[in-house]
Amino acid sequence: MNKTQKSETPAELVIPQLIVGLGNPEPKYDRTRHNIGFNAVDALAQSWQISLSENRKFQGIFGEGNRPRGQKIRLLKPLTYMNLSGQSIRAVADWYKIPAESVLVVYDDMDLPIGKIRMRLSGSAGGHNGMKSAIAHLGTDKFPRLRIGIGKPQNEVSQKEKDTISFVLGKFSSEETQLLENVLKLVREAVELSLHQGVEKSMSLYNSRTIAAINAETKR
């Protein structure tokens, strides 16, 4: 009986202890597509009433508090610029002895439309420089991440690197900005579920959802 029970024991849940939002410092980058990770951490901090402030030791904006059900959670916005994000992440992980699999990184993704998010337990950087740095400094790609769709330039014929940079460092349109509140609400719900029931559970419920679907449900 005991052997049977052991074999049926589920795998240990992946519960984030540190949530990192990727972005660039300086006012000129504020509210740009590439900084949606910063916006997500700000939204979480406001919802959970966690105070954020600059921490030079961590090279970032940092805060800690209790998550919705009482357990400790830490939030980070690296101030190292996107390409060196991993330095800040590693500093916090080392200080608090947080394993890589408990670090949830939130960042922008051009391959997803606005209104769509995607959570994964591991994976490559997918060309994202902030994630390249995170993987390099953590020494593994086996840590959870939440990608927030920012869409692609309307003129898809032009795929020049200069055009891509201009797009991701540009600000959201007025129509897109109106959707952001709901996008960040979706992110918050997905993150909170991952804190309670694990990242895989959150993946199963939120990877298939979009803002449009949520709005449709609200109108019923």
Side-chain angles (χ1 to χ4, degrees), residues 90 100 133-143:
R90 182 63 186 265
S133 179
I135 290 170
H137 282 83
L138 289 175
T140 180
D141 64 3
K142 291 178 172 55
F143 58 88

Side-chain angles (χ1 to χ4, degrees), residues 15-42:
I15 305 288
Q17 298 177 38
L18 168 65
I19 299 171
V20 182
L22 300 187
N24 286 306
E26 291 190 61
K28 67 180 180 180
Y29 296 112
D30 190 37
R31 302 292 168 182
T32 58
R33 295 181 179 89
H34 214 28
N35 270 36
I36 193 68
F38 275 14
N39 299 150
V41 165
D42 287 338

Side-chain angles (χ1 to χ4, degrees), residues 14 16 18-22 89 100-109 112 117-128 130-136 138-148 187 190-191 194 199-200 202-203 207:
V14 176
L18 168 65
I19 299 171
V20 182
L22 300 187
I89 297 171
E101 60 267 23
S102 296
V103 178
L104 172 62
V105 181
V106 185
Y107 62 103
D108 59 293
D109 190 341
L112 292 175
I117 66 174
R118 186 69 49 81
M119 243 185 188
R120 292 186 65 188
L121 286 168
S122 63
S124 69
H128 194 284
M131 285 300 289
K132 287 179 183 177
S133 179
I135 290 170
L138 289 175
T140 180
D141 64 3
K142 291 178 172 55
F143 58 88
R145 68 282 313 271
L146 194 163
R147 294 177 288 148
I148 303 176
V187 168
V191 170
S194 75
V199 172
E200 284 191 88
S202 189
M203 288 165 53
N207 282 1

Side-chain angles (χ1 to χ4, degrees), residues 38-50:
F38 275 14
N39 299 150
V41 165
D42 287 338
L44 292 173
Q46 182 177 10
S47 177
W48 300 343
Q49 298 183 336
I50 294 177

Side-chain angles (χ1 to χ4, degrees), residues 193-214:
L193 183 62
S194 75
L195 297 180
H196 301 154
Q197 299 184 41
V199 172
E200 284 191 88
K201 180 67 173 180
S202 189
M203 288 165 53
S204 69
L205 290 182
Y206 285 93
N207 282 1
S208 60
R209 301 187 69 178
T210 64
I211 292 302
I214 292 174

